[in-house]
Amino acid sequence: MRAIHITKSGGPEVLQLQETPKPTPAENQVLIKVKAAGVNRSDIITRKNTDTYGKGSPTTLIPGLEVSGEITEIGSAVTDKKVGDKVCALIADGGYAEYVAVDSSHCLPIPAGISLTDAAAIPETVFTVWFNVFHLGKLQSGEKLLIHGGTRGIGTMGLQMAKAWGCKTYTTAGTEDKIDFLQKMGVDKVINYKKEAFEEVLKDEKIDVILDMVGGDYTQKNLEILNKKGRLCYINGMKNMDVNINLRTLMAKNLTVTGSFLKPQTAEVKTQIATEVEKNIWPMFHSKKIHPIIYKTFPLTEAAEAHRLMESSEHIGKILLTMDR
């Protein structure tokens, strides 16, 4: 099969298309013929730091955390899936390829009304938002959610999920085009962080949950605008991982700060997330309250261009790779 390999740490040019053996599913796995794969910022971090991952020869490393496609083979212990099922799946790596083997319990059926290609944009964003905002952050209907960087894949999906959950939504963005898009999407309050200080605009709003991937000096500002018993959830620190906070703020308002990476979670945790997502979020797709927002698709051969686009931060929504020859 064809697959994109990270040949060494570096820029997008280190992504190379190579022939590689097709995987064989283990007893609890299914083999998916991939239709499309999502491109995520985690893939870029992996590409830049391949030499530190300790996974043997870097030529064995195929990036990609989410795919959609059709099951072509099942392991001997699999009873909940069958050959021919069309699914989307969360995976630890290997998505930039024509086939991938994945735990059966990490696959979900394609939601009604979503194309097989577009479904590749769902798993990583929905799993991440559910685990951090709803599971760790305990967002409740009627509460207020702020997601920084609202036009990223996480933002566009998370804001829709929260709105459908009955929450008031807030976000930040850096261009007028992005702000216009988010307003048309139905976000309650959109702040141009290049023109206004979000902590000033929201100082009286009493935000209940914040999902942040910026870090740095945003951290204390986030704490300042949280409601009493508010929750601050981290999934990245793109500005700076080293932060300074005033513990008095934390203690005076009885705040909770959480953080997680989805990729290294155990198979059991990912299975639990999949079960909860199918129960609570899949009906939102069926009722068309939420849908994946796709910015651009690239053929597998242009994975480097897809990475360049993601690094530019010009996109709104998800970037996908398709396996069509």
Side-chain angles (χ1 to χ4, degrees), residues 129-139 158 161-162 165 167 281:
V129 172
W130 178 262
F131 186 57
N132 287 277
V133 172
F134 294 89
H135 179 71
L136 297 176
K138 297 178 171 57
L139 182 69
M161 288 166 61
W165 201 254
C167 300
I281 303 302

Side-chain angles (χ1 to χ4, degrees), residues 17-18 33 52 57 64 72 74 105 124 156 259 272 288 297:
L17 186 69
Q18 299 178 2
K33 182 179 181 182
T52 68
S57 169
T72 59
I74 63 172
S105 60
E124 195 272 344
T156 55
Q272 178 187 351
K288 303 191 184 307
T297 61

Side-chain angles (χ1 to χ4, degrees), residues 67-129:
V67 298
S68 61
E70 182 176 334
I71 295 175
T72 59
E73 190 177 341
I74 63 172
S76 60
V78 173
T79 59
D80 62 331
K81 304 291 188 304
K82 65 183 186 298
V83 171
D85 284 351
K86 292 178 171 58
V87 297
C88 56
L90 183 75
I91 53 180
D93 54 39
Y96 293 14
E98 292 179 316
Y99 290 87
V100 65
V102 57
D103 282 10
S104 170
S105 60
H106 299 168
C107 301
L108 290 174
I110 304 299
I114 305 298
S115 73
L116 189 57
T117 296
D118 288 359
I122 294 175
E124 195 272 344
T125 53
V126 173
F127 278 52
T128 297
V129 172

Side-chain angles (χ1 to χ4, degrees), residues 154-182:
I154 292 288
T156 55
M157 182 58 73
L159 291 164
Q160 290 182 79
M161 288 166 61
K163 195 75 173 178
W165 201 254
C167 300
K168 194 169 183 181
T169 52
Y170 303 76
T171 193
T172 56
T175 70
E176 291 304 316
D177 285 346
K178 290 182 176 181
I179 288 167
D180 182 61
F181 178 88
L182 290 162

